[in-house]
Amino acid sequence: MSEEKVTTDIITLTRHVLDEQRKHKEASGDLTLLLNAIQLGCKFVATNVRKARLLNLIGLAGGVHNISGDEQKKLDVISNEIFINALRSSGKVAVMVSEENEEVIIVEEGLKGKYCVVFDPLDGSSNIDAGVNVGTIFGVYRVAEGSPGSVKDVLRPGNEMVVAGYCMYGSSANMVITVGNGVNGYTLDNSIGEFILTHPNITIPSRGKIYSVNEGNAKYWHEACEEYFHSLKFPPEGKNPYSARYIGSMVADVHRTFLYGGIFAYPADKKSKNGKLRLLYECFPMAFLTEQAGGKATTGYERVLDVCPEDIHSRCPIFLGSKDDVEDVEKIYKKYS
Ligand code: AHG
Ligand code: MN
Ligand code: MN
Ligand code: MN
């Protein structure tokens, strides 16, 4: 019987980021320490998500709503506190924005660092009671030159982000990250508590066969949106229609889009003039990752990463995924602009 080869040279996320940092002489190692804090948060949340039913963490936090009007789940609140504590105690963060906090969080002097982190501590939480994959989404800006660290440091276009990523909590915890030089995927090995490189250089196929949108909003769709999705369902003779896949957890729908190709969308419509997804901590990180993986992300009319947020909880329409599929969206929307 052939002996299973034991891997004795594993590439952990920390080692991979350090290797990346070594390429930049001026690197101080601060980013590595910041990412270690984010990893700690994700490992801790992963444990709570996995044990949620056992620890009776399922269900609502007691009728509380966040600024977006979402009903907060117990796990939303716990995950939020886990990340705020991990980021604050890292000493590398000056400013935080969370989906679950109405106001921006400014870290006190003494612990203030040079990064700003915007995050959705638990994405897809309405699905948590059904055991569907959920996740954490995060994006990182450097504090602007000469800034003491304020809300102004996060009201900037997503094209100024230096790091973006998500961690998807499912049968295993999958971390997908970019530091501006491609996208890599890591899987948590619970036995050693490390994220191991399992998906190097994730690249989105240039065209896919899957579309992912909540068709329940079709009644409210604008004409351009209607025309686009109609073109996928009723293609010209000789072409196959696209398949529909919609999980309702952005992290899960985007992860599938990265690996299989196709398009994920949360469009603007007559009911929600900017769609539902929040620009800072859902659209920007996913758009940054999408472009770094060779795809595109548009509002329909402009590149998502070029949008400048008016408010820390601004919403933004988004179509992201395979380059050719997103360019089809842009062509149709151009006709209606
Ligand atoms: P969150 O759980 O962080 O509030 O995000 C939920 C979002 C996103 O995960 C998903 O793509 C979208 O809500 C689904 O919205 P609909 O149920 O309206 O389709
Ligand atoms: Mn929410
Ligand atoms: Mn979310
Ligand atoms: Mn959330």
Side-chain angles (χ1 to χ4, degrees):
M1 183 160 92
S2 69
E3 257 178 40
E4 194 187 313
K5 190 172 170 337
V6 175
T7 313
T8 57
D9 186 18
I10 49 172
I11 301 182
T12 64
L13 170 53
T14 303
R15 170 178 158 184
H16 210 211
V17 171
L18 274 172
D19 291 349
E20 191 53 41
Q21 285 235 326
R22 275 193 204 99
K23 294 176 191 162
H24 307 278
K25 292 283 165 288
E26 78 291 349
S28 62
D30 281 348
L31 189 62
T32 304
L33 291 171
L34 173 65
L35 285 175
N36 277 347
I38 292 173
Q39 284 186 69
L40 171 68
C42 293
K43 291 181 208 173
F44 199 166
V45 169
T47 305
N48 281 293
V49 167
R50 202 174 29 253
K51 290 190 289 193
R53 192 166 298 288
L54 297 171
L55 298 176
N56 189 26
L57 290 178
I58 295 292
L60 293 177
V64 184
H65 290 70
N66 64 18
I67 181 66
S68 298
D70 297 351
E71 276 186 317
Q72 281 185 323
K73 300 279 188 174
K74 288 177 196 162
L75 270 174
D76 277 323
V77 176
I78 289 173
S79 307
N80 191 42
E81 287 167 13
I82 286 171
F83 275 101
I84 290 172
N85 293 334
L87 292 170
R88 167 178 281 122
S89 55
S90 75
K92 301 301 168 196
V93 180
V95 181
M96 294 183 229
V97 169
S98 165
E99 178 203 346
E100 306 305 337
N101 286 63
E102 183 171 351
E103 302 301 331
V104 68
I105 298 167
I106 306 295
V107 178
E108 63 273 28
E109 294 307 326
L111 270 177
K112 198 176 245 189
K114 64 182 186 183
Y115 291 104
C116 308
V117 184
V118 296
F119 60 96
D120 176 356
L122 199 68
D123 172 73
S125 54
S126 61
N127 290 306
I128 190 78
D129 301 9
V132 173
N133 281 12
V134 292
T136 296
I137 309 172
F138 56 90
V140 180
Y141 294 93
R142 264 198 203 85
V143 169
E145 273 307 306
S147 163
S150 76
V151 68
K152 288 200 205 86
D153 288 293
V154 290
L155 292 179
R156 292 150 70 184
N159 57 38
E160 294 183 33
M161 277 191 175
V162 291
V163 174
Y166 60 80
C167 190
M168 182 169 73
Y169 309 113
S171 50
S172 55
N174 284 289
M175 179 89 88
V176 173
I177 279 192
T178 183
V179 295
N181 186 18
V183 177
N184 293 293
Y186 308 81
T187 304
L188 181 62
D189 179 335
N190 288 299
S191 61
I192 57 173
E194 289 285 359
F195 282 98
I196 310 296
L197 179 65
T198 48
H199 296 71
N201 192 26
I202 293 176
T203 307
I204 306 177
S206 58
R207 183 174 283 284
K209 301 187 178 68
I210 295 169
Y211 74 92
S212 184
V213 69
N214 183 342
E215 303 252 19
N217 295 325
K219 176 184 166 193
Y220 308 109
W221 285 352
H222 294 304
E223 267 186 286
C225 188
E226 264 177 357
E227 182 177 327
Y228 173 66
F229 288 109
H230 185 84
S231 73
L232 301 184
K233 297 184 216 175
F234 302 92
E237 264 319 296
K239 283 200 165 190
N240 294 327
Y242 277 40
S243 291
R245 294 282 184 279
Y246 191 70
I247 301 167
S249 275
M250 184 184 199
V251 170
D253 281 318
V254 169
H255 190 68
R256 183 207 52 248
T257 305
F258 283 3
L259 298 186
Y260 294 0
I263 195 149
F264 167 79
Y266 210 108
D269 62 32
K270 296 164 194 155
K271 186 171 53 120
S272 319
K273 73 176 179 49
N274 287 314
K276 170 182 183 182
L277 298 177
R278 281 58 55 109
L279 178 57
L280 260 187
Y281 42 80
E282 290 172 318
C283 297
F284 277 165
M286 293 311 203
F288 187 7
L289 286 162
T290 300
E291 291 194 2
Q292 285 289 315
K296 288 188 93 172
T298 180
T299 64
Y301 298 104
E302 65 177 308
R303 183 183 176 227
V304 168
L305 288 179
D306 292 341
V307 176
C308 193
E310 283 162 26
D311 171 88
I312 59 172
H313 297 293
S314 294
R315 297 175 194 264
C316 181
I318 188 164
F319 293 80
L320 66 77
S322 295
K323 183 172 166 297
D324 295 352
D325 288 305
V326 174
E327 284 173 358
D328 289 350
V329 175
E330 291 170 327
K331 278 185 207 120
I332 290 178
Y333 270 70
K334 203 171 168 73
K335 287 181 356 190
Y336 291 85
S337 57

